[in-house]
Amino acid sequence: MINYASGGQDATDLAVGDFNGDGNTDVAITNHASRNVGVLFGNGTGVLSAVTLYGTVDVTHTVTAADFNGDGKDDLA
């Protein structure tokens, strides 16, 4: 069964951060069975966009958000 919020199957974890640099909170959700990460971008009013899917090389279990490369922007891992 597809989870329409996450855009995939078997959602297992989520992380929040500003992934597109617009100053609004976004949500990333791992989809284990679909081998992708669904990102819902926030618009600043508490509303999230439709899911945008990003494929992964292997199955995903967890996701975390932080500034891993020191550029002042949130990254996903």
Side-chain angles (χ1 to χ4, degrees):
M1 172 185 281
I2 299 288
N3 179 321
Y4 292 100
S6 70
Q9 294 178 312
D10 194 16
T12 55
D13 197 17
L14 67 85
V16 296
D18 180 10
F19 306 128
N20 59 356
D22 65 358
N24 298 320
T25 301
D26 308 312
V27 178
I29 304 168
T30 58
N31 295 302
H32 175 78
S34 300
R35 294 184 181 201
N36 61 31
V37 174
V39 179
L40 298 93
F41 296 101
N43 72 0
T45 66
V47 176
L48 297 171
S49 70
V51 66
T52 300
L53 296 176
Y54 298 93
T56 60
V57 174
D58 205 349
V59 294
T60 56
H61 296 280
T62 60
V63 65
T64 190
D67 180 10
F68 297 112
N69 59 358
D71 65 357
K73 300 175 184 176
D74 288 329
D75 305 303
L76 289 174

